[in-house]
Amino acid sequence: MTTETRTRTTPEAGLAATMAEIGRRAREAAAALALAPAGARARALQAAAAAVRARAAEILAANAEDVAEAKRAGIGAALVDRLALDPARLEAVARGLEDIAALPDSIGRVLADWTRPNGLRISRVSVPLGVIGIIYESRPNVTADAGGIALKSGNAAILRGGSESFYSSRALVAALRDGLRVADLPEDSVQLVPTRDREAVGMMLKMSGIIDVIVPRGGSSLIELVQRESRIPVIAHLEGLCHTYIHRAADPKKARAIVLNAKMRRVSICGATETLLVDRAIAATILPAILADLRARGCEVRGDPETLAIEPLAVAATEEDWRTEYLDAILAVRVVDGVVGAIEHINRYGSHHTDAIVTQDEATAERFLREVDSAIVLVNASTQFADGGEFGMGAEIGISTQRLPPRGPVGAAELTTYKYLVRGDGQVRP
Amino acid sequence: MTTETRTRTTPEAGLAATMAEIGRRAREAAAALALAPAGARARALQAAAAAVRARAAEILAANAEDVAEAKRAGIGAALVDRLALDPARLEAVARGLEDIAALPDSIGRVLADWTRPNGLRISRVSVPLGVIGIIYESRPNVTADAGGIALKSGNAAILRGGSESFYSSRALVAALRDGLRVADLPEDSVQLVPTRDREAVGMMLKMSGIIDVIVPRGGSSLIELVQRESRIPVIAHLEGLCHTYIHRAADPKKARAIVLNAKMRRVSICGATETLLVDRAIAATILPAILADLRARGCEVRGDPETLAIEPLAVAATEEDWRTEYLDAILAVRVVDGVVGAIEHINRYGSHHTDAIVTQDEATAERFLREVDSAIVLVNASTQFADGGEFGMGAEIGISTQRLPPRGPVGAAELTTYKYLVRGDGQVRP
């Protein structure tokens, strides 16, 4: 970033200077962005979508470079597929930005207001968090989503993408910055860390006073690194070890459809069910059809002894299976002692992400909703609904599994904080 | 805690075992407490107030022990005064618990609800955070406040009080546990770390998975230690470098009353004004009376050159003064270039805690409210209103100066998180 240096610097010192400059620019941009009208932020997002379309050839060429490097490095086909953009995927990126633009504004909402006996009028109003550092892996569309959501909520973003998608991310950020320029907002509202040097992540985690919040989005080793090293508050997205419990009063048809969808619609997302719990009272009658459905779709079943007695083709589950997020076509199945047994199992082995019950009995449903200690608890619906879009929040930056807010799906409205405005008429405190 | 050990243990291993046992009990208590009805929690708080009165002699005797030790250790008179309880202060502690009991319940509130086009009904409902670790200094009444607020919000508390108030805190915790027992709630909902060993604080900060949130309450060295060492999310309460700005359109009478109150009502609280900013357009006319008031109350004034020209008795302020939280009868005064200059000064030097403007001009007031980036921004009122009680939240555990929620005064309602309840009728995700 510095155009001239008088003394030779080590690579670390050079990177440190670069990161400091990025931080300075981000803070300046955040201050301006926080005061920009909602209209300007929405215009920037629409213009960014147009720029993604206008720069399509350039973005796809940059992506081809990433893909070629990935293949040379011998990265597996599934990862290469996640990395690759094509005109249809790029159009989805542009439409995603337009969808974010169309969401209601998340800044300046009056979250509560009241008047005190002394006449002070107090209101709590949503404001941006400030500068958000987003650290993520591989998929280039996250660059557009994360940058777009941050912008929508009035935050400046420092993006550190996966090194595999470096060129794609750079091209996408150029489009986001086009949009900012068109709307007369500071370009530095969205910046990409301009190096694949891993040191940069460590430096971001220590930029307290500059970066207000770190959002890691990736595998558990990334999240653990961030939680261990960060001196900045983190919005963490840990694993989704999700359960579906079939209660004795379940509608068998609904149970069958929900389990199949919860496990197999997409096996690699955090809302996919990993463990099926079945009420002992109906296990023998309901499990055969459910497991046949799963087998027909290529799903491996790992069962406890009672499940094995019903379904001899299943593999025996070990203790480890109750603790495993497969993200694959594998389902652990356990027979439990009613809703109490189900809740105990979930609170003990789950990751407090998303869990569901299937039942027609309202009292049991309400008990499950109350006693399962997870970010999302569902009745008679698939755990795969754990998604900001499905919640109506527009794009999401992930599902937070931490306890302090934001918990659950994190969209633009959740990337805000608030301040208190107090309007008086000369009051002094007695 | 262990009644028998087969092998000799080092003191550290003994402490580690004690802390692990406290953690285990807290988690168990938190699980039960989260599901306890609001009525039981309120009953426990009322019974705890009764127990404080019933155990008054014992609590005062324990406090006398703390005071005697403090005097032997040569602790200053001001600190001894903060430490000392008497029947009136103890009655205030009991009434504080009753006030917390009377607050509306903060758990199970529906914060938002909506229905999706596919028929899923989604609601966001407040739930406890879980186990809160509260680390604080000297004043014994914090033990009752912190324990009471945690209990009100359905959280289990692990309290680590200042070593000066060790005996007092132990006696007060015994009263809180009496209350829990009366209401049939787990006594271990409130536990005190049973040692003055400083190692215990470090251990608490590493109990992730056991303690959900750490609340430090004390001087900046404690807060910095916690922010540096904690592996657990922190609700931090940093310094309050608060400003009052007098705009050219201020009502001079209100300005005089507000400044005197904001600075001098109590100089040692975080909401006390530390820097007075005055619009150049009215500095010469308004400052003399204001500074005379302050002088009459024994307040030292440190002014910039323009202030010194108006008030030759003032001391010259240095750059350092704009950055200093005096917590004393000292006021820094600076003449600024209208509301823009005031906002610039505040956002640059302030601690984003609480800042006020005095003006009769509504547009200027709204601009100040919008552009000052602080947890609390006031118009025509004293900064000393920065207090959970004054906000109508009941007792507070402090004023959070972090950006992520909770920001500003933290009462029982702010010590909660939320979960999403989703009620369906067999929906699967397309």
Side-chain angles (χ1 to χ4, degrees), chain B residues 354-427:
Chain B
T354 298
D355 301 290
I357 184 174
V358 185
T359 185
Q360 296 299 109
D361 182 67
E362 209 179 306
T364 303
E366 292 304 315
R367 179 172 189 179
F368 189 88
L369 288 170
R370 212 163 74 91
E371 297 190 14
V372 169
D373 178 24
S374 297
I376 302 173
V377 191
L378 304 107
V379 176
N380 292 331
S382 167
T383 56
Q384 300 232 357
F385 282 112
D387 173 88
E390 292 296 325
F391 271 56
M393 297 172 176
E396 65 168 30
I397 210 158
I399 309 270
S400 159
T401 52
Q402 65 183 19
R403 293 201 71 84
L404 270 176
R407 192 184 189 202
V410 178
E414 286 67 37
L415 282 183
T416 62
T417 183
Y418 52 77
K419 68 180 181 185
Y420 290 95
L421 308 183
V422 183
R423 293 173 171 94
D425 188 32
Q427 283 87 343

Side-chain angles (χ1 to χ4, degrees), chain A residues 116 129 254 261 265 366 369 372 375 377 379-380 384 390 403 417 419-420 422-424 426 429-430, chain B residues 116 129 261 265 366 369 372 375 377 379-380 384 390 403 417-420 422-426 429-430:
Chain A
R116 296 290 300 152
L129 284 166
K254 288 179 191 168
N261 185 269
R265 175 186 159 274
E366 292 303 315
L369 287 170
V372 169
V377 192
V379 176
N380 292 331
Q384 300 234 357
E390 292 296 325
R403 292 201 71 85
T417 183
K419 67 180 181 186
Y420 289 96
V422 182
R423 295 172 170 94
R429 186 167 170 194
Chain B
R116 296 290 300 153
L129 284 167
N261 185 270
R265 174 186 160 275
E366 292 304 315
L369 288 170
V372 169
V377 191
V379 176
N380 292 331
Q384 300 232 357
E390 292 296 325
R403 293 201 71 84
T417 183
Y418 52 77
K419 68 180 181 185
Y420 290 95
V422 183
R423 293 173 171 94
D425 188 32
R429 187 167 169 194

